[in-house]
Each structure stands twice: as structure tokens, then as C-alpha cells.
Amino acid sequence: MRRRLGEGTSSEEGAIERAILAVSDWRGREACYEPVPGGISNPNWRVEVAGAPHRFFVKIPGEGTEMFIDRKTANEAGRKAHASGVGARIFHFFPDTGVEISEFVEGLRTSTNADFLDPVVRLNALRALKAFNDCPRLSQQKTTFDMIDEHFQQALVLGGQFPSDFGWLNARYREARQALEASGLDLAPCMNDTLAGNFLLHADRRVMLVDFEYASTNDRAAELALWFVEMCFSPEIEAELIEEYYGRVDEVVLARVSLFKALVDLKWSTWAMVQNRCSRLDFDFFKYGFWKHMRARFMMSDPRWSMWLKAV
């Protein structure tokens, strides 16, 4: 529902109105706001301010997200993405509240998994992702391993639900981590959240990246692995993309991506169990986490698992 500044009645509307009033350039000017659907971590808003040349996208941190989102790192990542030509311009960031205000990019639409059936969209998305990955490293180094360990501990403290075969999943995680760390990590800025909805499409199929909340310095293979599992690409398409990204396809890269496929799903499945305990958003985090656990289990049960461990 679209509202004018001062008309808010709910706690969420109160939060966006406080965010609007915090921008000194906007004080004394008429403003309207309305929710932007789609996010599963935060309430997001589209804001119009009288006299401004464009609309704004305002992100209000969701309750409990401070447990796994570093807003300063997210802002740093968003600014690097814009500087590399693949992200929206950020105008304001308030470290004390975590509120971030960027340009609402007009004329683009949120992509869906179906869009990535188009090879041009896939290639443009890969190039946008690589442009961000090729930026200087982010201040915060937080690998997939760090994220998994963090979520394990959070779920324990909050009483989150673990699957009955967690011991087996944890053992597979530990052996994959040992193999990957022994081989050395290929660290770079990573989005760590390559859902289809975080790629915006121009009419000519160029791609812009949005939402860097989970960004950190991490392994490039983990970035590709998460994107691949989210898009459900075929092995043939994955090989094409790996060759475009790395300039080669070999058993080492394939093995690294394959192991990380299991680990990123384990990360997000446990994240979902944490969210299931603390988030107020209308989203079925338990079902989401259950599905992610299933996919992690599927990869860890693959007959090639031991081969991947040796290949990396």
C-alpha cells in the first residue's frame, strides 16, 4: 500500500518513516513510500521524494539479521559493484541503524530462473558476477566454512531444528573443508547470495547485480557453486560457464565447485533454521531449509564424492 510520509500506522511503516526523516536532504519535502515485495531477510521500500530526479530503494534491516549480516561490508560491496559497472548507485548509509538507500533502477526487471535458459542472459550474468569478483577484496573475510560454523552455533543457541542425520552431514562437511583448505582458497569479493532475484535484466539482456548483504571475501568456486545450484544448470552448461570464467575446465575446478555445491546448501539450510526461530517475515523458512538439506545430502551421497575430495 502506498502511503505519504506521516500516514504510517504499523511498526514497519514507522521504521521506513524514521529512515526517510533521517536523510537531511529530504527534510521538509513531501515523500511517499510503498513496499517492494520479494526479500526474505529485510523489509524493502520504494520511496519518492518531491523534487528528486528519481525514486529510491530503501532497505530496512530485518529483525535478527545482525546475527549474520555485516551491514558495513554489504555497503562496501555495493559501492564496489557500482564502481565496476554492475551495481546500483548508493546514496546514503547509516551505520548505526544499517539502513541503506540506493537508486531505484528504472526500466529493469527482476530475473527468474527461466531467464537463465537464455545463453545470452547466462553469459551476461556470469560476466557481471566476475566483474564484481575481480574487485579488490572486501574488508571482511568470511568463508563458507565460517558461515556454516556460525549458523551451527546460532541454531544451537536458539533451539533451531537439525535433521536427524546431522552427524553424517557434519562429517561430510568436515572432510570437504579439510580437502579444500589444504588445497588453498581462491579468495575474492563474493555476493554469496546468487538467487535469480538478485540479477536485474535490461531490455537488451544486460545484467545488473543487487543485494550484497551476505557479501564477503570468500572462495570464487563457492560463488559459482551457489549460482549453479540456484539455477539448476545442466553439467554441460556449468562446464561452459566455468570455461568462460576461469579460461579452462579441468577436474580440479569441477571438483572444487562440486564440493562447494554441497557446502553452500548446508550453509543456507542451517541459516533457514536460524531464521525460522527469529524472523517475523511471512516466509516458510523451515520448508526452505528442509529443501536445502535435501540438496546437500544429494551431493554428499554422490558416488564421485571421494573422487572430488582427492581431486582438489
Side-chain angles (χ1 to χ4, degrees), residues 40 119 158 310:
I40 61 173
L158 292 170
K310 294 176 183 177

Side-chain angles (χ1 to χ4, degrees), residues 46 54-56 103-108 202:
R46 179 168 43 241
H54 50 71
R55 296 187 291 178
F56 299 88
E103 181 178 357
F104 189 89
V105 185
E106 307 288 353
L108 280 71
H202 292 265

Side-chain angles (χ1 to χ4, degrees), residues 16-251:
I16 181 59
E17 293 205 358
R18 288 191 295 275
I20 292 171
L21 292 170
V23 181
S24 58
D25 295 345
W26 296 353
R27 290 172 189 163
R29 298 160 70 178
E30 290 187 4
C32 299
Y33 57 89
E34 59 186 332
V36 177
I40 61 173
S41 294
N42 316 286
N44 298 317
W45 302 85
R46 179 168 43 241
V47 174
E48 294 181 37
V49 179
H54 50 71
R55 296 187 291 178
F56 299 88
F57 182 85
V58 182
K59 182 177 295 184
I60 307 292
E63 184 173 345
T65 56
E66 69 280 354
M67 290 192 296
F68 35 77
I69 295 175
D70 185 311
R71 300 288 169 179
K72 292 182 181 179
T73 301
N75 181 256
E76 178 190 359
R79 293 182 185 276
K80 286 182 183 293
H82 175 67
S84 65
V86 296
R89 181 181 177 186
I90 297 173
F91 290 97
H92 302 283
F93 174 63
F94 299 91
D96 55 334
T97 61
V99 171
E100 184 179 87
I101 301 174
S102 57
E103 181 178 357
F104 189 89
V105 185
E106 307 288 353
L108 280 71
R109 66 174 178 85
T110 303
S111 70
T112 67
N113 283 51
D115 288 308
F116 292 89
L117 297 174
D118 182 339
V120 174
V121 172
R122 283 200 303 271
L123 184 59
N124 286 342
L126 181 78
R127 288 172 175 169
L129 199 59
K130 190 174 188 302
F132 175 64
N133 297 154
D134 287 344
C135 291
R137 292 183 184 179
L138 297 171
S139 302
Q140 183 189 42
Q141 178 173 316
K142 190 174 187 179
T143 68
T144 301
F145 316 129
D146 299 324
M147 299 175 205
I148 291 172
D149 290 348
E150 180 181 66
H151 295 335
F152 280 175
Q153 183 60 34
Q154 290 165 342
L156 283 171
V157 170
L158 292 170
Q161 194 159 348
F162 288 87
S164 59
D165 62 345
F166 174 75
W168 181 85
L169 290 166
N170 187 44
R172 301 290 78 73
Y173 156 55
R174 298 296 170 184
E175 63 188 11
R177 176 175 183 169
Q178 182 178 23
L180 289 162
E181 287 187 323
S183 69
L185 299 182
D186 184 9
L187 296 173
C190 293
M191 288 183 72
N192 300 318
D193 191 17
T194 47
L195 300 171
N198 291 337
F199 296 83
L200 300 185
L201 300 183
H202 292 265
D204 62 3
R205 296 184 289 184
R206 286 179 296 120
V207 174
M208 174 180 282
L209 306 178
V210 293
D211 197 347
F212 296 90
E213 291 188 318
Y214 295 93
S216 67
T217 293
N218 192 11
D219 193 289
R220 290 174 183 264
E223 184 89 308
L224 289 185
L226 179 58
W227 188 41
F228 290 175
V229 297
E230 291 298 339
M231 297 301 107
C232 301
F233 290 140
S234 69
E236 293 76 19
I237 289 176
E238 289 182 4
E240 292 174 3
L241 294 169
I242 287 172
E243 184 172 15
E244 176 69 24
Y245 188 93
Y246 287 101
R248 70 186 192 282
V249 180
D250 57 38
E251 66 173 7

Side-chain angles (χ1 to χ4, degrees), residues 179 251 255 259 304-312:
E251 66 173 7
L259 291 176
R304 295 166 292 178
W305 182 258
S306 59
M307 181 187 74
W308 294 331
L309 291 172
K310 294 176 183 177
V312 298

Side-chain angles (χ1 to χ4, degrees), residues 250-267:
D250 57 38
E251 66 173 7
V252 174
V253 175
L254 290 171
R256 291 181 67 83
V257 171
S258 297
L259 291 176
F260 270 120
K261 282 184 179 181
L263 300 191
V264 295
D265 270 338
L266 183 61
K267 178 264 189 246

